[in-house]
Amino acid sequence: MNTHTTQSIKEWKEQLISQDEIDRYLVDGKDFIDEQQIYTTLEKNTKTDPSRIREIIAKAYSIELMSGDDVAALLQVSDPDMRNEIAQAAKEIKKKVYDNRVVTFAPLYCGSKCVNRCAYCGFKSDNPSVIRKVLTMDEIREETRVLAGIIGHKRLIVVFGEHPETDADYIAQTMKTIYEVKVPVRSGMGEIRRVNVNAAPLPIRDLKKLQEAGIGTFQVFQETYHHETYQKVHPADTLKGNYRWRLYALHRAMDAGIDDVAIGALFGLYDWKFEVMGLVAHARDLERLYHIGPHTVSFPRLTPAVGTNFDHIRHQVNDADFAHLIAVLRLAIPYAGMIITNRETPQIMESVIDMCTQRDAESKIGIGDYADTYRKDQIAEREQFMLNDTSSLDQVIQKLAIRNHITSFCTAGYRCGRTGDKIMGLLKSGKEGCFCKLNAVLTFQEWLEDFASEQTKKIGEALIQKEIEEIRKRVPQDFSQATFTKFLSNHDQIKHGVRDLYF
Ligand code: SAM
Ligand code: SF4
């Protein structure tokens, strides 16, 4: 039942934004997006000669945040051969930092009610074409049972509109509910081990509630870093109309103790080169204040949504530029994970996955859609549903395995406190890869046991054998004999039904 009146929504909105939680981050009253400087930097780095581009590429292997001039020079490259060299380096850097691992996850949309009117989004409050619903905790449980017990996900990102019915208390409750769900699967228990959150910016007091509830990553996309465009698509009388409240959402998260944050821009609203410069400036400001950058970067491309008017899209990014901007981001913020979502076609996914670290699979973005699909298909034709739905994540994983990517369901790093500055140090030194390599094999084997089709299990296990041989060759330089012996024993135990073993 909706207990919120227009008056109570107004009061809720008024107490949300605190000017002090913006002003404290400004330098001389200015935010970190200096538009004039971005334009000047882009301008002076046009037509850079190939030898300098190659020097910039070489520097990127030191896994440090790139200077604005270097990022601009890479962005301005239009020659396909030179772009190709950048893409090759991006793939190598992905491998150097994250090895051949890819993480899969699914979004769980919890509520479609929203007080904002973002021009591009179907959830905007003045859109009558969308059904408004907020999931109850029972419904959250049902969704989770399908995600963790049938599809086989271990990681979710929970997504919310901005509304008093989906406030911080609701978000925290959602997370707790999801973590509690355990579903018997073939030989173990299906469960979600990591819940990331994509929600509107929150004040520090609310962010602390999410931290206490066990948040994984807090993700807020700036949408566009360009002030004027931002104002155009986010009406000034809405909460989201406050550019700086959003710009410092992740700074506040850090101050609330959430040291795992994710940035992103919605490509298509403004010039893509400007947005990449904005993302790098965002990472730089986080590093300046907290000595750690974003854990992940997202780069969704605007897609048509029901009830929205697309006149405002003047900057749609074509496929070639899109692949190039991903490669540049990979080099510019080399320690960050990079997330591609299935807003993109399978062809695009395939062409950029070697530069990325995470992708979603078998996603449904309607409120309550996971359980609905399950129920419907149960009534209609259960087999077909089981095949279709599991084969979807299964197919993704099989395809990845064929390309030599191991799907990691590892969440050990977060549970052992390898987050924030600790993970940054490990990523930059390449050491995170060591723990993760072992855990990727163990969690992948677990997934193959509990969810894989016969064909995927065969392909997956062949890849695991290759991985084990590679690990064996790295004893004792990277792994002690004792660690390797324990790893083999863990692997064997997982094949015999033991679960959740990690380093
Ligand atoms: N309401 C919260 C907010 O705005 O931050 C979080 C939920 S919102 C649905 C999550 C993200 O979806 C937004 O940050 C935006 O980047 C993306 N999004 C919204 N409309 C989109 C569209 N038409 N195409 C692609 N992505 C879109
Ligand atoms: Fe959509 Fe988020 Fe904007 Fe609401 S605040 S209209 S959910 S993008």
Side-chain angles (χ1 to χ4, degrees):
M1 191 180 67
N2 184 1
T3 52
H4 291 277
T5 59
T6 312
Q7 180 59 22
S8 72
I9 290 177
K10 189 167 168 273
E11 283 164 16
W12 174 77
K13 280 165 72 172
E14 280 166 4
Q15 54 80 49
L16 208 68
I17 296 181
S18 121
Q19 192 59 37
D20 166 61
E21 291 188 13
I22 297 171
D23 292 346
R24 66 176 73 175
Y25 304 113
L26 303 175
V27 178
D28 299 329
K30 293 192 182 127
D31 61 54
F32 58 80
I33 297 297
D34 182 340
E35 294 190 359
Q36 206 40 58
Q37 196 190 359
I38 291 179
Y39 291 130
T40 312
T41 311
L42 281 168
E43 184 60 39
K44 78 172 193 258
N45 285 288
T46 42
K47 301 201 178 78
T48 305
D49 68 84
S51 64
R52 178 158 170 251
I53 297 294
R54 292 195 180 106
E55 268 170 36
I56 297 171
I57 294 175
K59 262 198 284 178
Y61 285 80
S62 62
I63 319 298
E64 295 290 342
L65 189 65
M66 194 175 268
S67 74
D69 275 310
D70 287 357
V71 179
L74 294 184
L75 286 170
Q76 297 290 22
V77 170
S78 56
D79 171 57
D81 290 337
M82 192 45 81
R83 279 189 169 190
N84 198 28
E85 282 187 40
I86 295 169
Q88 285 314 316
K91 290 176 189 176
E92 285 179 22
I93 284 174
K94 175 331 177 133
K95 188 120 201 314
K96 180 175 153 87
V97 181
Y98 289 94
D99 204 343
N100 58 341
R101 291 183 301 280
V102 173
V103 160
T104 48
F105 67 95
L108 171 52
Y109 279 68
C110 301
S112 52
K113 295 193 180 181
C114 190
V115 296
N116 297 310
R117 300 193 307 279
C118 311
Y120 46 81
C121 178
F123 286 177
K124 62 182 179 156
S125 65
D126 56 354
N127 184 3
S129 328
V130 157
I131 299 166
R132 304 292 166 171
K133 185 167 167 51
V134 171
L135 294 179
T136 63
M137 288 308 134
D138 278 343
E139 288 167 330
I140 295 279
R141 237 170 256 123
E142 273 189 68
E143 293 287 275
T144 310
R145 288 180 70 78
V146 174
L147 284 156
I150 295 173
I151 301 175
H153 279 293
K154 303 274 184 232
R155 286 178 187 241
L156 298 184
I157 181 141
V158 284
V159 186
F160 309 84
E162 186 165 28
H163 194 273
E165 283 182 54
T166 51
D167 63 4
D169 291 316
Y170 174 87
I171 298 174
Q173 191 58 41
T174 301
M175 280 193 277
K176 286 183 196 147
T177 304
I178 292 170
Y179 283 130
E180 278 163 13
V181 172
K182 314 275 172 217
V183 197
V185 292
R186 276 183 212 153
S187 50
M189 280 290 184
E191 61 183 359
I192 298 299
R193 295 183 183 155
R194 181 173 170 83
V195 183
N196 300 330
V197 174
N198 181 312
L202 292 166
I204 292 171
R205 62 174 188 277
D206 282 349
L207 289 159
K208 286 185 176 160
K209 295 179 186 170
L210 305 195
Q211 171 67 353
E212 278 157 26
I215 188 174
T217 308
F218 185 51
Q219 182 183 64
V220 177
F221 302 154
Q222 184 60 27
E223 320 298 12
T224 172
Y225 287 93
H226 185 248
H227 295 79
E228 193 191 324
T229 305
Y230 188 94
Q231 293 316 146
K232 240 188 242 165
V233 293
H234 306 113
D237 63 337
T238 62
L239 283 172
K240 193 148 166 184
N242 191 325
Y243 175 98
R244 285 180 172 175
W245 178 245
R246 196 167 183 88
L247 195 65
Y248 292 106
L250 302 174
H251 290 60
R252 289 193 297 280
M254 291 278 196
D255 283 333
I258 301 172
D259 61 5
D260 197 316
V261 299
I263 61 175
L266 184 54
F267 282 88
L269 295 175
Y270 191 59
D271 175 48
W272 59 272
K273 294 178 187 172
F274 185 98
E275 303 295 15
V276 172
M277 297 295 282
L279 286 165
V280 177
H282 200 160
R284 183 164 293 111
D285 209 61
L286 288 169
E287 282 200 9
R288 175 180 73 83
L289 284 167
Y290 305 100
H291 310 293
I292 43 177
H295 184 184
T296 59
V297 182
S298 294
F299 28 85
R301 270 195 293 188
L302 205 47
T303 45
V306 62
T308 60
N309 173 351
F310 263 59
D311 282 355
H312 55 275
I313 305 189
R314 299 202 180 85
H315 296 276
Q316 195 57 293
V317 187
N318 67 39
D319 291 349
D321 289 342
F322 186 59
H324 183 56
L325 79 85
I326 294 173
V328 174
L329 278 169
R330 174 76 281 159
L331 266 58
I333 318 177
Y335 52 76
M338 306 228 325
I339 304 179
I340 180 97
T341 67
N342 55 19
R343 288 178 180 87
E344 299 298 335
T345 61
Q347 291 78 2
I348 296 284
M349 290 278 225
E350 186 122 347
S351 70
V352 299
I353 193 71
D354 292 354
M355 300 187 259
C356 297
T357 59
Q358 297 194 25
R359 59 158 294 168
D360 58 338
E362 215 167 320
S363 302
K364 303 209 181 300
I365 54 171
I367 313 291
D369 266 7
Y370 292 104
D372 275 355
T373 311
Y374 178 57
R375 268 195 299 270
K376 261 185 238 138
D377 281 58
Q378 281 242 309
I379 296 160
E381 205 182 334
R382 188 189 158 102
E383 274 307 299
Q384 198 178 6
F385 166 77
M386 296 294 285
L387 244 178
N388 278 342
D389 242 1
T390 50
S391 73
S392 228
L393 176 61
D394 190 87
Q395 274 173 352
V396 166
I397 289 178
Q398 188 183 114
K399 251 198 196 159
L400 287 169
I402 290 168
R403 289 179 68 100
N404 207 37
H405 292 292
I406 190 160
T407 303
S408 176
F409 292 93
C410 172
T411 51
Y414 315 103
R415 292 191 282 164
C416 299
R418 290 198 294 272
T419 61
D421 53 350
K422 289 186 210 78
I423 191 133
M424 281 298 151
L426 290 166
L427 286 171
K428 287 181 184 176
S429 68
K431 289 212 175 73
E432 171 66 2
C434 292
F435 291 114
C436 290
K437 198 166 183 67
L438 305 181
N439 288 331
V441 170
L442 298 178
T443 55
F444 189 42
Q445 185 70 52
E446 193 177 296
W447 192 88
L448 294 176
E449 296 296 328
D450 285 343
F451 297 102
S453 65
E454 240 176 77
Q455 177 72 356
T456 301
K457 192 163 183 213
K458 209 166 127 205
I459 295 168
E461 289 197 325
L463 178 60
I464 284 183
Q465 276 319 310
K466 255 171 70 184
E467 291 291 299
I468 293 177
E469 283 319 304
E470 202 194 311
I471 294 166
R472 191 192 303 278
K473 283 190 202 135
R474 288 170 57 181
V475 176
Q477 313 85 275
D478 296 328
F479 306 100
S480 69
Q481 183 59 49
T483 302
F484 184 59
T485 307
K486 184 162 180 245
F487 162 71
L488 289 181
S489 152
N490 283 356
H491 181 236
D492 192 56
Q493 287 185 61
I494 285 169
K495 290 182 94 165
H496 291 91
V498 181
R499 292 288 169 268
D500 205 13
L501 300 172
Y502 56 86
F503 285 87

